[in-house]
Amino acid sequence: MADLQSHDYTPDDTDVEVAQLLANEGSDPLEDPATLRALGKLRLKLGQDVIFVSRFEGGSRILELVESEPEIVSFLQGTTDALEHSWCYSVVSGRLPEFVLDAQGWIDSGVVPPPPMPVGTHLSTPLRLSGGVVYGMLCAFSSHVVDGSTSNDLHRLRLAAQWLGKRLSRLNRDKARH
């Protein structure tokens, strides 16, 4: 698990605002409007075109929550595709790193399936529930290479994934009790 002291990372006002928006304990984070606002702020901070939460279920990847530039229409909430053909699976299986500054080499080599739209910089990290179970992924990508992107951007994404994972875990525990 990432912590605030690693990677020469210093949280800024946007990071604090994202953490506050994601900290709403009593609700389903995938239905809470604050989660979408947090993802939007994080996406802009990272300089990416799309950020989304996916869930893995029965061999499929389901886009649970998507926040993107308005002109991006190929990544829609609720979209389902085969897990093994997704970039999410490439990351969680270790074929693709969590931080890719320029995805073109990975595409050209066939490590990842050709995307439905141009992908330059790609950031993706597992979204884990308590006990380490992978729920899905938190991913962000841009149609172009984001030259200023660094490992600190991945660190920010990992922290957001930790907050979301904690909330989803609490929600699942609460549902199991009732």
Side-chain angles (χ1 to χ4, degrees):
M1 292 280 182
D3 62 59
L4 291 177
Q5 311 322 316
S6 66
H7 305 291
D8 298 323
Y9 169 77
T10 304
D12 64 15
D13 291 343
T14 302
D15 297 319
V16 171
E17 192 174 356
V18 166
Q20 289 171 339
L21 286 167
L22 292 176
N24 185 5
E25 291 293 326
S27 65
D28 181 340
L30 300 176
E31 295 179 5
D32 184 352
T35 302
L36 196 58
R37 285 195 310 276
L39 292 180
K41 289 180 180 300
L42 182 57
R43 179 182 65 77
L44 292 173
K45 178 72 176 178
L46 301 175
Q48 304 299 314
D49 296 331
V50 176
I51 189 167
F52 66 89
V53 172
S54 68
R55 174 173 46 97
F56 300 162
E57 183 178 299
S60 295
R61 177 189 70 165
I62 303 153
L63 300 184
E64 293 275 295
L65 197 56
V66 179
E67 201 289 330
S68 67
E69 289 292 331
E71 66 273 7
I72 308 283
V73 293
S74 44
F75 271 77
L76 299 175
Q77 189 167 315
T79 301
T80 301
D81 54 8
L83 179 60
E84 68 271 5
H85 298 298
S86 71
W87 285 39
C88 292
Y89 185 73
S90 295
V91 172
V92 82
S93 68
R95 290 189 322 228
L96 184 68
E98 290 178 88
F99 175 78
V100 176
L101 182 60
D102 186 350
Q104 193 59 54
W106 296 93
I107 296 166
D108 292 344
S109 68
V111 170
V112 292
M117 59 181 286
V119 175
T121 298
H122 183 268
L123 307 164
S124 184
T125 195
L127 182 53
R128 297 182 187 277
L129 301 177
S130 58
V133 173
V134 175
Y135 173 88
M137 301 292 280
L138 179 59
C139 302
F141 68 89
S142 180
S143 61
H144 61 281
V145 174
V146 180
D147 290 324
S149 193
T150 70
S151 61
N152 281 338
D153 294 329
L154 177 60
H155 187 70
R156 285 182 168 93
L157 196 73
R158 285 176 175 164
L159 289 171
Q162 286 179 13
W163 278 100
L164 285 170
K166 286 177 184 177
R167 283 183 65 196
L168 287 167
S169 293
R170 284 188 193 107
L171 181 68
N172 287 343
R173 278 195 305 269
D174 291 347
K175 284 181 179 177
R177 288 184 191 146
H178 294 111

